[in-house]
Amino acid sequence: METDNDIKIAGDKPSKDIRKNAADDQEQSAGEKERINARQLGITIAQIFSKDATNFKFDDDGDYEMIIQRRLLLSFTATVSFERYCRNETDAGVAQKAFLDTLKMFNPEIYHTSGDTGAFSFYYLAYRRGIEVDRRIGQTFAMLCSHDGDSVYQELGEALYCWFSSVVKEEAEKLSLTDNCS
């Protein structure tokens, strides 16, 4: 049995309202797809990050501090690259959350050694200057590895930053999350 509450009264221009509602639904669907793709971006980057991080074990004859700083630099690079290459802040936030959640779930040890906010502060200082960012990130990496001024460490930090930034950009482009303008 129909009641007055079940009856919908058409507006002055019902066809215009229908088109607007359909456009709103399409926009909402597109936004949902973007969020799903942003989540996938975060998961994919976490998997690449984890694979790289597990290639360097603490029992190797390598430099312990360099291994930790490598993880921190790549984690920082993922964070700023999500912000840089995702179309909007919401997608960047979704990607970042998926990145961290994936690390925490599948590789807690790497998760715990890749989020030092002190190191992030130094990297952000270098990044936010906006001048010769790659080189400044490399210098910061060398400093945090206790090899301040060492050109080998500086070049390694710069190369790691550039490499991982390009990985995030490529994956974001595959998922249509970027406007290809950065």
Side-chain angles (χ1 to χ4, degrees), residues 65-129:
E65 191 62 33
M66 191 276 297
I67 293 170
I68 295 296
Q69 291 306 322
R70 179 187 180 101
R71 289 179 183 177
L72 290 168
L73 175 55
L74 294 182
S75 181
F76 169 81
T77 303
T79 299
V80 296
S81 295
F82 293 144
E83 294 169 3
R84 186 173 176 193
Y85 298 121
C86 287
R87 194 172 284 120
N88 57 56
E89 287 181 27
T90 302
D91 290 347
V94 169
Q96 179 68 19
K97 182 175 180 346
F99 173 77
L100 294 172
D101 289 349
T102 302
L103 285 179
K104 191 174 189 177
M105 184 182 308
F106 294 108
N107 209 326
E109 186 252 329
I110 290 173
Y111 170 80
H112 290 298
T113 60
S114 61
D116 177 13
T117 56
F120 272 41
S121 294
F122 283 109
Y123 286 124
Y124 268 115
L125 285 172
Y127 181 79
R128 298 281 186 229
R129 281 189 172 169

